[in-house]
Amino acid sequence: QRRRWRRELIAMPSIRLIVGLGNPGEKYIGTRHNAGADFVSALAKQNGIELKTEKKLAGRLGRGTVAGHDVRLLIPDTFMNHSGKAVGLAAKYFQIAPEQIVIAHDELDMPPGASRFKFDGGHGGHNGLRDVIPAIGGSKAFWRLRVGIGHPGQASKVSGWVLSKASKIEQQLIDLSIDESLSALPLLLDGEDVKAMTRLHSSDKTKEDL
């Protein structure tokens, strides 16, 4: 009985906010840097959740049921480097703790076709996460969904890489990884975080899968 009590005590709080990072405007639609926003857009469409502009929260917000869980979806209307504004405002307004947030974002250090759930950690050089952390009180204890977009090979080419569109094949792989993430998300929402992480780790896609 004591062991069960300890498990309940350290159980992760339920997820209440899922954020997709990206840049606003037609110019950036379909660019690599918008992979996180693309995930949340797909999640909203899949579950019939309408995202409406909320100026006071600096983003597009929707609320609905995902896999039986009441969650809010958010895509900031600010540019990537200022993503923290919308996340901070929403977290404060709805009284959502960092541990109850999932931030979906593009990941240079993973190839197209791969995606991962991760809890806690630094920003890893991602400017969106870099801005989010101080906006939620400096806490790094939130969930990330890392959507692989690959690396151009040279640091000097990163800016142009993330702001441009992937090749047709690479985009197909990114789309497949987003689909796999949508399938694994219910496990995370159910508190089965290890199963959710394992599911994504074993579902990487390559060109041979196309």
Side-chain angles (χ1 to χ4, degrees):
Q1 186 176 1
R2 181 180 298 175
R3 188 174 300 171
R4 188 176 70 178
W5 174 79
R6 288 191 64 186
R7 282 204 306 268
E8 292 175 351
L9 182 66
I10 63 175
M12 294 293 296
S14 59
I15 290 167
R16 297 173 55 202
L17 177 66
I18 303 174
V19 183
L21 302 188
N23 286 308
E26 293 185 14
K27 177 181 177 180
Y28 299 101
I29 293 175
T31 58
R32 293 181 175 93
H33 226 8
N34 278 35
D38 291 343
F39 168 78
V40 169
S41 292
L43 180 62
K45 183 177 181 180
Q46 181 189 65
N47 292 277
I49 299 173
E50 184 179 1
L51 299 175
K52 297 181 179 180
T53 298
E54 295 286 349
K55 290 185 178 180
K56 64 182 179 181
L57 298 180
R60 286 178 289 149
L61 185 75
R63 182 180 182 181
T65 302
V66 176
H69 298 269
D70 178 28
V71 296
R72 286 181 168 85
L73 309 183
L74 173 68
I75 298 178
D77 278 340
T78 56
F79 283 96
M80 181 67 81
N81 292 8
H82 302 287
S83 299
K85 180 179 180 180
V87 181
L89 287 171
K92 183 177 181 180
Y93 186 81
F94 297 113
Q95 297 184 316
I96 297 173
E99 308 90 72
Q100 298 176 301
I101 300 174
V102 178
I103 306 286
H105 65 90
D106 58 303
E107 179 56 68
L108 283 163
D109 294 332
M110 288 164 41
S115 56
R116 297 285 186 273
F117 286 121
K118 178 185 177 182
F119 183 75
D120 208 346
H123 54 69
H126 192 284
N127 287 334
L129 295 183
R130 192 194 305 270
D131 197 62
V132 166
I133 291 170
I136 55 174
S139 175
K140 301 174 184 177
F142 55 89
W143 282 98
R144 296 113 162 109
L145 170 62
R146 305 160 66 205
V147 181
I149 62 168
H151 196 286
Q154 297 179 27
S156 61
K157 295 183 178 180
V158 165
S159 180
W161 178 261
V162 299
L163 295 178
S164 61
K165 294 184 178 182
S167 68
K168 182 178 180 180
I169 291 177
E170 288 180 341
Q171 188 58 55
Q172 288 177 326
L173 290 171
I174 292 170
D175 291 342
L176 284 174
S177 72
I178 287 176
D179 287 344
E180 291 292 346
S181 301
L182 291 172
S183 297
L185 181 64
L187 290 170
L188 189 67
L189 295 178
D190 285 342
E192 301 283 356
D193 50 290
V194 175
K195 289 183 179 179
M197 290 187 282
T198 302
R199 166 75 180 270
L200 284 189
H201 198 276
S202 62
S203 64
D204 290 359
K205 303 299 180 183
T206 64
K207 293 179 182 179
E208 286 69 33
D209 295 309
L210 298 178

